Amino acid sequence: HNPLDCVWLDYFTDIQPTIKEGFNGNRYEAMADVARDIKTLKKELDVPIVTLAQLVRGARDRRPFKTDIAESAVTERIADGIILIDRPIEGKDTQKRGYKWGKTNKEAKLSDLFGNVALVIDKNRYGPTSTPIFGFDQEYMKFTEEIPPPMISSEDIPVEFN
């Protein structure tokens, strides 16, 4: 029985690679080695490994994408899944995000996200991608239950004439 349920690694891009024979100082190759070593460790321990990474500065005021991850080319290629956290702040963020509310496919307004958080599942090797919206308790830094979409108004229902 494995005593570990999960392993968390902070600042993926700060992990120093083991210098191997023939290393030419290429940053991409170094980070690819780190990513492969993490994937090997995941298989050996038989537990999920979650690595945290910093986003580039341009992602602050808009919906984040997997290409916003520092060293994203390596991450995109090797990761089994990529989840980005988007938490628009009222009075600061003004750009629309383009999120949809599940099966209704109704666009989420930016104001629907204030005080909440969108988990952007931008890569999922074993399933679909999506963007569920959760409550966020800032005082305790805790995610709460998924937020249901706002009620659909009569303006959203198409009218058919016979």
Side-chain angles (χ1 to χ4, degrees):
H1 176 323
N2 191 340
L4 298 173
D5 293 323
C6 185
V7 174
W8 291 78
L9 300 174
D10 197 0
Y11 263 94
F12 166 72
T13 55
D14 282 355
I15 297 173
Q16 296 298 315
T18 304
I19 304 301
K20 297 178 180 167
E21 191 175 325
F23 177 70
N24 64 4
N26 180 310
R27 179 74 178 159
Y28 178 86
E29 287 180 27
M31 294 315 299
D33 282 345
V34 168
R36 278 191 292 275
D37 289 346
I38 291 171
K39 198 131 187 176
T40 300
L41 181 62
K42 171 192 173 291
K43 289 176 183 174
E44 287 175 11
L45 296 176
D46 192 29
V47 297
I49 296 182
V50 178
T51 59
L52 306 176
Q54 189 170 358
L55 298 181
V56 296
R57 292 183 193 270
R60 285 184 181 170
D61 300 322
R62 61 171 171 75
R63 173 187 178 149
F65 296 96
K66 60 187 171 194
T67 53
D68 293 326
I69 299 172
E71 315 292 342
S72 66
V74 171
T75 308
E76 283 183 67
R77 185 170 56 85
I78 294 178
D80 290 334
I82 297 175
I83 301 174
L84 305 152
I85 300 173
D86 186 15
R87 189 172 64 94
I89 299 169
E90 191 167 6
K92 180 180 175 197
D93 289 310
T94 56
Q95 236 185 32
K96 291 177 85 174
R97 301 300 209 252
Y99 301 136
K100 304 279 186 189
W101 287 107
K103 294 176 184 170
T104 66
N105 208 29
K106 179 181 178 179
E107 184 153 344
K109 297 178 189 152
L110 187 59
S111 61
D112 294 335
L113 298 175
F114 293 146
N116 298 314
V117 64
L119 297 181
V120 181
I121 302 170
D122 207 2
K123 178 180 179 180
N124 184 356
R125 191 170 302 221
Y126 305 109
T129 59
S130 64
T131 308
I133 298 171
F134 289 86
F136 183 71
D137 184 340
Q138 187 170 342
E139 181 179 353
Y140 296 102
M141 300 298 286
K142 176 182 167 184
F143 295 102
T144 57
E145 290 185 35
E146 187 171 1
I147 305 294
M151 295 299 291
I152 297 174
S153 71
S154 59
E155 297 171 0
D156 297 323
I157 300 171
V159 177
E160 292 182 22
F161 294 100
N162 292 340

